[in-house]
Amino acid sequence: MRGPPPHVPPRNAMSSDPNATPSFDELPLRAELLEVLGALGYEEPTPIQCQAIPPMVAGNDLLGQAATGTGKTAAFALPLLQRLADGDRGKRPTALILVPTRELAMQVSQAVHRYGRVLGARVLPIYGGQPIGRQLKELSRGVDVVVATPGRAIDHLSRGTLDLTDVEVVVLDEADEMLDMGFQDDLEAILDEAPVERQTVLFSATMPPHIDRLARKHLQDPVRITIGRDVAAPGGADGPRIEQTAYVVTRQNKPAALGRILDVEAPGATIVFCGTRNEVDELTETMNGRGYRAEALHGGMSQEQRDRVMDRLRNETADLLVATDVAARGLDIDHLTHVVNYDVPSAPESYTHRIGRVGRAGREGVAVTLVEPRQHRLLKAIERHTGQKMSVAKIPTVADLRARRLELIRAALREELLDGELDQFRVVVDTLSDEFDLVEIALAAIKLAHDTTGGDVDDEPELPDMSLAPGSGGGAGGGGKGQGRTGGRRPPRGQAAGDSARIFVGLGRGAGIRPKDLVGAIANESPVSGRDIGAIQITQNFSLVDVPADRVDAVISALRNTTIKGRRANVRRDARDPNS
Ligand code: AMP
């Protein structure tokens, strides 16, 4: 219902400095939710959380421009969880969150579950590609928050298995992606089914005219917020000389990637910024396991503990400081050579604060940023803010590590040779030289040195080479009202194993397109090989191609950036994909 929901706690006095970041305690959230945030190790709200939570809790509609990685999931999830009544909540959902892809449905639903577990929130993701039976069972048992792809939501609405009568909030997340994927009609139909007296919240990374039209039609007098766009950095390109490099890596491979980057960079003192206290603790342990002398610094530590850590860093008994932004505020460490953003900071301003720790007093510094494939927009916002381009580098391979290790041994040997004072070892070489060649003896000595310095790189797994693919990380989205096209489908070629998703390519026979043109473009430009491509249908004006669902977004982005038979094509997910 419009207007403030229950459980609006009195707002604490906000800080007197209008530019200061409010703490979570100053946001109008229930004590249980604040406790969850503390337990997750969140130290302060991100800018979007500061701006979105108060109006959402007050019941306003909201139009937010923000990218992935800004903390927007918590920004909308916390206020909607705040609405959940205590005690028996009946079977029908209170909130509906619409997202473009299956992957996002799972991710958002996990996040809402994590934040809302303390309130007993029942959260259900519904998306194409998953057997509908499980979803039906959960829906009939009762849920509070449904996170759905539009196609599957429509499916359930037409079966009468999703009842929106009690929905108080509808969130459209990544609305621009949903429209790009052809979900406009589905979204309109869903919004028409939801009660008129509801709160509607729309988040989009971009605000093209069709998003504006959708917002004008379905949102009432929304509060508008914009995060991380076109704010000029103080100092801009004239700032300190800092070499800025980004590495694209999935969340799960981040610890291994960081270890490798540091192994190859061999930095002096380094500060590694993490988003949460828990992440700080985990990463400190991992890096110590890798042979670094790492120390944690976060807001959960006493002043005495922090002083001890800073002493160890200053007298160089520690070489890595793993910290949250809050804890590292105001720190000045003289011999710092590297700053690592283990998470892309949620606001470009905090990126410049972080990397400003190096490159002081005319020295050169290095800033390393680990970026998840979906965070390309956040990276762009940072580049606009700093006025500098970040180079995207490949994570060092096992071969790079091996070469670096040998390089370090060579440098150490050279120093020993220059130092002299090796006579006491001569007897070993002399006795062995009766039996072996001198070069062989040297090689064996190097092997010994190699084996005793550092672990065996042969045990290191290769990390996949990721790229910043706009919209990457998808899976089959929703779409489809059970009216999939039939006829003309060939059996899938090769081993199109697992789930597949269908893409629409706006070129057909009329443009001279033959199957091999599509196979060639996909196999050459995207991570999908020819044998993984499924059925292909070519009509006069367009073509439909089945590709593995887990790589559909990468295929779409590759085809959008190339030409087929010399022409650019309109490429998107087929909104009526029967696979989803
Ligand atoms: P999102 O933009 O919603 O995808 O969130 C990006 C990441 O930031 C997620 O891993 C969240 O768990 C994390 N996150 C969200 N809010 C905060 C916060 N206030 N402090 C630290 N981490 C956060």
Side-chain angles (χ1 to χ4, degrees):
M1 310 292 110
R2 262 179 216 287
H7 306 295
V8 181
R11 211 173 148 80
N12 298 349
M14 296 287 274
S15 157
S16 54
D17 175 358
N19 294 321
T21 308
S23 69
F24 274 118
D25 290 346
E26 291 173 273
L27 293 175
L29 289 172
R30 297 171 66 157
E32 301 97 310
L33 293 174
L34 294 177
E35 271 166 35
V36 172
L37 299 175
L40 286 173
Y42 292 7
E43 295 204 321
E44 60 179 4
T46 65
I48 194 163
Q49 291 162 3
C50 295
Q51 292 189 40
I53 290 174
M56 261 193 82
V57 168
N60 290 103
D61 280 4
L62 191 100
L63 179 59
Q65 181 163 7
T68 295
T70 52
K72 75 175 150 63
T73 315
F76 64 71
L78 295 167
L80 67 82
L81 287 166
Q82 172 120 334
R83 283 180 174 270
L84 299 184
D86 292 324
D88 184 14
R89 289 193 281 263
K91 293 194 166 178
R92 291 192 289 254
T94 304
L96 172 67
I97 303 170
L98 295 166
V99 297
T101 64
R102 171 220 310 245
E103 194 215 36
L104 208 57
M106 291 192 282
Q107 200 177 303
V108 168
S109 140
Q110 278 161 9
V112 179
H113 176 73
R114 203 164 51 230
Y115 300 134
R117 190 169 18 205
V118 64
L119 303 174
R122 298 163 299 172
V123 187
L124 179 69
I126 61 177
Y127 49 80
Q130 190 197 39
I132 205 157
R134 223 201 93 212
Q135 299 171 358
L136 292 175
K137 203 159 105 205
E138 293 295 323
L139 282 168
S140 69
R141 251 198 238 155
V143 293
D144 299 310
V145 183
V146 168
V147 185
T149 51
R152 240 332 138 90
I154 287 281
D155 236 357
H156 281 286
L157 285 173
S158 52
R159 287 165 183 252
T161 44
L162 177 61
D163 184 344
L164 302 184
T165 315
D166 291 345
V167 161
E168 297 177 17
V169 195
V170 177
V171 178
L172 309 181
D173 189 19
E174 307 212 348
D176 49 356
E177 294 257 345
M178 290 198 278
L179 292 195
D180 284 352
M181 287 165 61
F183 285 134
Q184 167 106 28
D185 294 348
D186 290 350
L187 289 180
E188 300 269 357
I190 297 165
L191 288 167
D192 286 345
E193 282 276 322
V196 182
E197 283 297 312
R198 62 162 193 264
Q199 180 180 40
T200 313
V201 174
L202 184 155
F203 278 107
S204 188
T206 57
M207 279 293 160
H210 55 299
I211 291 285
D212 215 42
R213 273 197 299 278
L214 186 75
R216 254 184 282 131
K217 186 162 168 203
H218 295 285
L219 273 60
Q220 281 185 25
D221 201 12
V223 171
R224 288 168 188 264
I225 54 181
T226 302
I227 296 295
R229 274 188 69 243
D230 295 326
V231 205
D238 299 332
R241 282 182 56 77
I242 301 171
E243 181 192 316
Q244 299 173 53
T245 309
Y247 294 87
V248 187
V249 58
T250 57
R251 175 152 282 275
Q252 78 199 53
N253 284 332
K254 276 186 178 184
L258 177 63
R260 277 198 202 172
I261 293 163
L262 293 180
D263 285 352
V264 169
E265 286 270 329
T270 299
I271 183 163
V272 182
F273 284 101
C274 293
T276 67
R277 292 175 189 182
N278 302 3
E279 204 165 57
V280 164
D281 286 335
E282 278 164 30
L283 187 63
T284 306
E285 212 175 301
T286 310
M287 296 316 288
N288 276 312
R290 211 179 160 100
Y292 282 89
R293 294 168 305 169
E295 292 282 345
L297 191 75
H298 59 61
M301 295 163 59
S302 70
Q303 191 56 44
E304 201 189 343
Q305 286 172 313
R306 294 193 207 192
D307 290 345
R308 219 175 305 136
V309 167
M310 290 314 295
D311 284 346
R312 278 192 218 125
L313 201 73
R314 291 210 171 92
N315 65 27
E316 302 185 27
T317 35
D319 38 29
L320 269 190
L321 180 69
V322 186
T324 57
D325 289 280
V326 173
R329 214 159 267 163
L331 286 189
D332 195 2
I333 307 158
D334 230 18
H335 57 291
L336 212 60
T337 61
H338 285 59
V339 167
V340 176
N341 296 296
Y342 191 67
D343 285 313
V344 184
S346 53
E349 294 77 6
S350 94
Y351 176 83
T352 36
H353 285 149
R354 286 179 176 187
I355 72 165
R357 306 305 171 101
V358 287
R360 291 188 171 184
R363 271 175 293 169
E364 297 201 354
V366 177
V368 166
T369 302
L370 302 190
V371 194
E372 291 171 44
R374 288 187 59 82
Q375 295 177 329
H376 59 284
R377 286 209 169 86
L378 216 51
L379 205 64
K380 284 271 164 303
I382 288 172
E383 288 181 342
R384 272 198 302 270
H385 182 67
T386 58
Q388 291 174 18
K389 189 129 185 69
M390 244 186 269
S391 58
V392 178
K394 284 199 187 318
I395 294 167
T397 60
V398 173
D400 294 333
L401 282 188
R402 202 174 285 129
R404 179 69 182 160
R405 181 80 47 87
L406 292 178
E407 166 65 23
L408 290 175
I409 291 178
R410 193 193 60 78
L413 280 175
R414 190 163 184 276
E415 262 179 47
E416 292 292 350
L417 287 164
L418 289 174
D419 264 4
E421 298 186 24
L422 298 168
D423 269 348
Q424 56 171 317
F425 306 107
R426 187 172 297 278
V427 57
V428 179
V429 179
D430 283 347
T431 40
L432 284 172
S433 65
D434 294 341
E435 201 180 341
F436 300 99
D437 181 67
L438 281 179
V439 172
E440 277 180 90
I441 298 170
L443 290 175
I446 292 170
K447 178 171 183 296
L448 267 184
H450 180 264
D451 291 351
T452 49
T453 53
D456 193 353
V457 287
D458 292 337
D459 292 345
E460 293 264 350
E462 282 295 358
L463 298 179
D465 194 14
M466 308 294 294
S467 60
L468 276 177
S472 72
K481 291 176 188 168
Q483 31 173 294
R485 290 178 182 83
T486 50
R489 275 195 72 145
R490 300 189 286 108
R493 67 180 75 214
Q495 29 177 329
D499 289 334
S500 65
R502 180 164 295 178
I503 57 173
F504 168 97
V505 180
L507 294 173
R509 271 198 306 278
I513 298 292
R514 292 154 303 166
K516 69 173 188 182
D517 301 314
L518 294 164
V519 173
I522 293 170
N524 288 333
E525 303 292 338
S526 83
V528 169
S529 68
R531 62 188 204 143
D532 286 336
I533 299 172
I536 296 178
Q537 297 169 60
I538 301 182
T539 71
Q540 186 60 21
N541 297 319
F542 63 88
S543 309
L544 298 169
V545 187
D546 286 3
V547 296
D550 58 352
R551 279 164 285 169
V552 61
D553 290 317
V555 174
I556 291 173
S557 106
L559 291 183
R560 281 180 183 165
N561 286 317
T562 189
T563 52
I564 307 171
K565 283 240 146 173
R567 294 176 60 170
R568 288 229 171 247
N570 171 11
V571 185
R572 55 180 157 79
R573 247 174 234 260
D574 181 21
R576 298 282 166 259
D577 183 358
N579 298 315
S580 63

